[in-house]
Amino acid sequence: MINYATASESELKKEFQRLAKLSGDDSFGTKKEFLHLPKILNAGETPLAVASGFMDGNTWLIALTNQRVIFLDKGMIFGVKQVDVNLNNIVSVGGKTGLLLGEILISTSGQNYKIKNVVKSAVIPFTNLVNATRNNTSQSTKRTEQANGTSQAFDDAMSKIERLAKMRDEGILTEDEFQLQKNRILNG
């Protein structure tokens, strides 16, 4: 696990690629947003996955952390737009896919965030990761004693998915086999 506060730009770029692969996204056009991410992370906050899509007329980075979902749009020359949604405030997460692209919909009790033009292969993995993280967060809020076990189980699941992704990248698993095993891990 890297320290985002002290990581070099090359380390951050490698981490960006790792997180994008985990969610099945290429995160096109959002590298500058990811490089901005360490500046806004809370103490103890860790990015778990990233995706990219179109919202409000711009390409946004969608970063899932262990505490929130962050939407970031860094301007071409200057400026940053940031929207944070605490995991505890998320009411539902959904997605739909088309031929090549899809959408991710994240709803709170007062706001809907629709991210369009998300790479099709990222929609289901990203929404599953948000749901898994949200479920883990709500369980840990209810029972502090179980939080350590839940967190460990989530870390174990993430570690297993990373190993599967590496096996897929090395040609040991096909994309279909990877998706099947990942879904089994995420769905218990």
Side-chain angles (χ1 to χ4, degrees), residues 20-186:
K21 281 183 183 179
L22 194 62
S23 59
D25 193 349
D26 61 1
S27 296
F28 175 76
T30 56
K31 200 170 284 185
K32 65 184 180 292
E33 284 83 358
F34 187 80
L35 295 176
H36 181 75
L37 197 59
K39 296 175 185 171
I40 61 170
L41 292 176
N42 297 323
E45 187 172 21
T46 306
L48 303 174
V50 294
S52 64
F54 211 66
M55 184 171 74
D56 297 333
N58 294 316
T59 302
W60 290 69
L61 173 74
I62 310 146
L64 168 65
T65 75
N66 58 332
Q67 298 176 7
R68 58 188 166 155
V69 175
I70 304 168
F71 301 93
L72 272 179
D73 176 30
K74 196 154 170 39
M76 292 296 274
I77 299 171
F78 64 91
V80 176
K81 295 178 194 170
Q82 176 180 336
V83 177
D84 297 340
V85 180
N86 188 309
L87 291 173
N88 294 329
N89 295 335
I90 295 175
V91 175
S92 68
V93 179
K96 72 178 188 178
T97 58
L99 187 60
L100 297 173
L101 299 172
E103 295 178 352
I104 295 174
L105 181 65
I106 298 177
S107 298
T108 66
S109 59
Q111 182 75 35
N112 292 325
Y113 301 94
K114 184 185 273 188
I115 304 92
K116 298 179 179 181
N117 296 342
V118 177
V119 175
K120 178 182 178 179
S121 63
V123 173
I124 293 172
F126 191 83
T127 57
N128 284 347
L129 287 168
V130 171
N131 278 322
T133 306
R134 182 170 63 106
N135 291 340
N136 286 343
T137 301
S138 67
Q139 288 174 0
S140 66
T141 302
K142 292 176 185 173
R143 292 188 182 161
T144 305
E145 292 176 2
Q146 292 180 347
N148 292 335
T150 302
S151 177
Q152 182 63 39
F154 182 76
D155 291 344
D156 292 345
M158 296 301 291
S159 177
K160 288 177 185 177
I161 292 171
E162 288 175 357
R163 286 194 304 264
L164 287 171
K166 184 176 180 184
M167 291 171 64
R168 178 199 57 202
D169 294 345
E170 292 173 355
I172 297 170
L173 294 175
T174 66
E175 182 64 30
D176 290 340
E177 292 169 330
F178 168 76
Q179 292 297 332
L180 177 69
Q181 292 300 323
K182 183 172 70 171
N183 286 336
R184 284 182 180 161
I185 292 168
L186 290 174

Side-chain angles (χ1 to χ4, degrees), residues 1-12 37-39 41:
M1 192 67 59
I2 76 166
N3 182 342
Y4 287 86
T6 60
S8 70
E9 187 171 323
S10 65
E11 290 172 320
L12 287 172
L37 197 59
K39 296 175 185 171
L41 292 176

